[in-house]
Amino acid sequence: RAKVKIPMRYSEAEDSFWVENDYVKMIPYDPDGKVPFSFTDTFDFTRAKNGFEFVNALYHITVYKDYLHSLGFPRDELLNYQLKVYPRWRFFHDDTDNSQFIRDANAQNKKEGKGKLRFGVYHIENKEHVDDAEDADVIIHELGHALSFNLNKNIYREGSQRDAIDEGISDYLACSYSRSISEYHWQDLFNWDGAFWGGRSCITSLTLPDIDDISNKYQRGELLAGMCMELWSIVGKEVADRIVVGSMY
C-alpha cells in the first residue's frame, strides 16, 4: 500500500475533510446515508470498509481527469461538471453488482451531456465477490461512457454499432490506464472484479466474421479495444490515448 494525495472538499464550518472534490460529487446509497469524512486530511481504509469504494473511485476519477487535461483536452470541454458518483449502488432486484453510466433525466443536464455513475455492490451475505468500485478497470470503463456522452450527447448510444464503439473505447481506456500502472495481466480487463465472471480481454486475434453473435456489443467492442491496444504498443500510451479520445469529439 502507498499513500497518495488528491484534492478533497474541506468544510470550514465542520472543520472536516469530505470524500469529494470539484470533479466528483459522492452520493451515498447505504442506509446510514453518509459520505466518509475525517477531522484530519488522511483517509485510510482497507477494502473491508465501506469507505474504501468512495476513496478509490474519487482517486481514480480525479487522476484520470487530470491526465486527460495534461494531454491538452480543455477543461471547459471535457466532463466540465461535477460528476455524481454512487460508489456503493445496490440492485435489489437481483444479486448482481453491475455498474453503469446513467444519463441525467433533467432535460437541461441531458442537453449539456451530464450524467452519473453507479458502481454496484453485492448485498448477499457470505458470497465471495469484489464490489465494482474496488476495481480501477471498472471505474475508468464507466468514466469512459460518461466521457462519450459528454462529447457526443446527440448520438450517444444511437444504434448497435454506436453501442459497440462505446464499449470498445471504454474497454480501451480502462486497459490503457491499467497497463500504465502495471504490465501484469494488463490485457485482462476487470481482472479484479472479473475474476468472478470472466471479465473481457484487450488482446484478440478475432475479426468480425469470427463473432458468434453479431448483436453482442461487448464482443464487437473487444475488436476495437484490441486494435487500439495494438496502436498503444506501437506509438505509446499518450499518443494512442490522444488519438482515441480525440476521435470522440
Side-chain angles (χ1 to χ4, degrees), residues 1 44-53 88 128-131 134-135 192 196:
R1 298 176 61 189
D44 189 5
F45 298 113
T46 64
R47 58 181 291 259
K49 301 294 185 180
N50 289 347
F52 181 85
E53 288 87 351
R88 293 185 52 80
E128 192 174 11
H129 66 280
V130 170
D131 293 330
E134 296 176 1
D135 188 333
W192 186 240
F196 299 94

Side-chain angles (χ1 to χ4, degrees), residues 198-216:
R200 295 200 286 275
S201 177
C202 285
I203 290 181
T204 180
S205 60
L206 298 178
T207 60
L208 193 60
D210 298 319
I211 295 179
D212 297 330
D213 181 3
I214 197 62
S215 66
N216 189 316

